[in-house]
Amino acid sequence: MRHLVALSDLSSSEIEAILAIAADLKSKFVRGVREPLFPGRMMALLFEKQSLRTRVSFESCMTHLGGGSMMLGADAGFGKRESIEDFTRVLSAMVDVIVVRAKSHSTVEDVAAHSTCPVVNGLTDLDHPCQALADLLTVRERFGGLKGKKITWVGDGNNVARSLAVGCAKTGAEFAIATPTGYELAREFVDQLRADCPDAAITETTDPREAVDGCAAIYTDVWASMGQEAEEEQRKRDFADYQVNAKLMGAAPSDAIFLHCLPAKRGQEVTDEVMDSPQSLVVEQAANRLHAQKGVLAWLLGEPA
């Protein structure tokens, strides 16, 4: 039995396998085929944070695959009414897969340690593997592959950036990141990634124009994520030169796409003209959460696509 707690848990071939299953199931979905791979299977969603895309995409994909899902919020007593160990042992005896969207990465690790069914990380402070898989699927679809494609992150070196960096390193894509000083990826994370993936192409800079030169995709996120609201005004000042606008898009190749994990704060990290431009694939990227997660579920539950 496998879990998906962090994208770094997967090998390059496993990521490619998930993306291939996702692409196959998406192709069938587009043709109106919804294969009931998991009839009678049940998925539990344990969410400590607000969600639109993660919740809807997981619930929809399990329904498309013939199974069912249940949302367990604070009323279930997760982590409060009883220990995570007791909670998880009982829950995993009743369902087939558990998705956890937690404030702390250690919470997902704790659930996985005590679960008797696969556990999927639906977002933590350190990792967002399902988002990264959808991102890679989106770039793969647009450019026909990932190897050698430069994906540029402009903004905070947060959990989404970390997962994307891992995904790029393991699929042969180049990862470039432009952050203000003090918001870089953690040095120990980059050093470990370089050790795990010696051929990884990783560029770090404080200059967004340098980072987008020659890139296939420009990706950004909000400057203050959930839980960082108290830092928002300071972050607005620190990230003021990191807005993705028409001028920055103009410094990239004309066929470069724009990506954002959403929700976006229009007028801050990205302008309306970029969000609504033909280069923006943010809606397609969000929709690919559905298909990437079908790939994850099919891979974890051992059913062929």
Side-chain angles (χ1 to χ4, degrees):
M1 183 185 71
R2 291 287 299 274
H3 304 295
L4 178 53
V5 173
L7 199 60
S8 56
D9 295 340
L10 302 178
S11 68
S12 297
S13 60
E14 287 171 338
I15 291 175
E16 293 291 351
I18 290 171
L19 293 178
I21 296 170
D24 179 60
L25 292 174
K26 180 176 181 178
S27 174
K28 291 171 180 171
F29 176 79
V30 171
R31 300 199 306 274
V33 178
R34 299 184 182 186
E35 287 190 297
L37 297 177
F38 310 123
R41 304 283 187 100
M42 181 57 72
M43 175 174 63
L45 301 168
L46 294 177
F47 280 24
E48 291 184 323
K49 285 189 167 186
Q50 293 177 313
S51 174
L52 170 65
R53 281 152 289 276
T54 299
R55 177 178 178 176
V56 175
S57 57
F58 266 113
E59 292 200 15
S60 296
C61 78
M62 195 53 157
T63 299
H64 292 172
L65 294 171
S69 63
M70 67 178 73
M71 181 73 183
L72 297 175
D75 57 330
F78 173 55
K80 294 181 179 177
R81 194 158 62 100
E82 55 189 325
S83 70
I84 288 180
E85 180 178 355
D86 290 344
F87 185 99
T88 303
R89 283 176 170 172
V90 172
L91 180 64
S92 61
M94 297 178 175
V95 303
D96 300 285
V97 59
I98 301 171
V99 179
V100 189
R101 184 174 172 89
K103 296 176 182 176
S104 170
H105 192 75
S106 63
T107 300
V108 181
E109 293 176 327
D110 287 345
V111 172
H114 301 296
S115 177
T116 55
C117 71
V119 172
V120 179
N121 178 347
L123 177 142
T124 70
D125 55 333
L126 294 183
D127 219 312
H128 201 354
C130 294
Q131 179 67 57
L133 289 168
D135 302 338
L136 296 172
L137 180 63
T138 305
V139 175
R140 185 178 183 264
E141 288 175 336
R142 171 53 68 100
F143 296 102
L146 292 164
K147 198 170 184 60
K149 297 294 181 290
K150 181 180 180 181
I151 302 176
T152 296
W153 180 273
V154 178
D156 191 15
N158 62 15
N159 52 350
V160 182
R162 289 167 60 103
S163 299
L164 187 64
V166 172
C168 289
K170 287 181 176 272
T171 58
E174 179 181 351
F175 180 75
I177 182 168
T179 65
T181 300
Y183 296 95
E184 303 92 343
L185 293 170
R187 181 49 39 201
E188 59 271 22
F189 166 78
V190 176
D191 290 346
Q192 186 61 55
L193 184 56
R194 291 185 186 280
D196 293 341
C197 304
D199 296 329
I202 304 170
T203 304
E204 300 172 272
T205 178
T206 57
D207 183 353
R209 291 181 65 85
E210 175 188 336
V212 304
D213 182 38
C215 75
I218 299 177
Y219 196 147
T220 192
D221 192 5
V222 292
W223 293 339
S225 300
M226 282 185 287
Q228 297 172 331
E229 290 79 5
E231 304 172 23
E232 186 162 0
E233 293 306 314
Q234 181 62 51
R235 283 174 173 259
K236 282 182 184 177
R237 294 190 287 273
D238 293 341
F239 285 89
D241 295 331
Y242 291 79
Q243 183 186 68
V244 179
N245 49 36
K247 185 176 180 182
L248 186 62
M249 290 297 295
S254 58
D255 64 344
I257 59 175
F258 172 71
L259 300 175
H260 193 302
C261 53
L262 301 178
K265 289 200 172 181
R266 291 172 177 247
Q268 285 193 22
E269 77 272 8
V270 59
T271 59
D272 285 343
E273 60 184 341
V274 172
M275 278 287 285
D276 300 327
S277 74
Q279 290 174 271
S280 174
L281 266 64
V282 297
V283 175
E284 293 85 345
Q285 177 190 9
N288 272 341
R289 293 289 305 277
L290 175 73
H291 307 294
Q293 289 156 196
K294 283 183 183 177
V296 169
L297 293 179
W299 180 77
L300 280 176
L301 298 179
E303 297 288 347

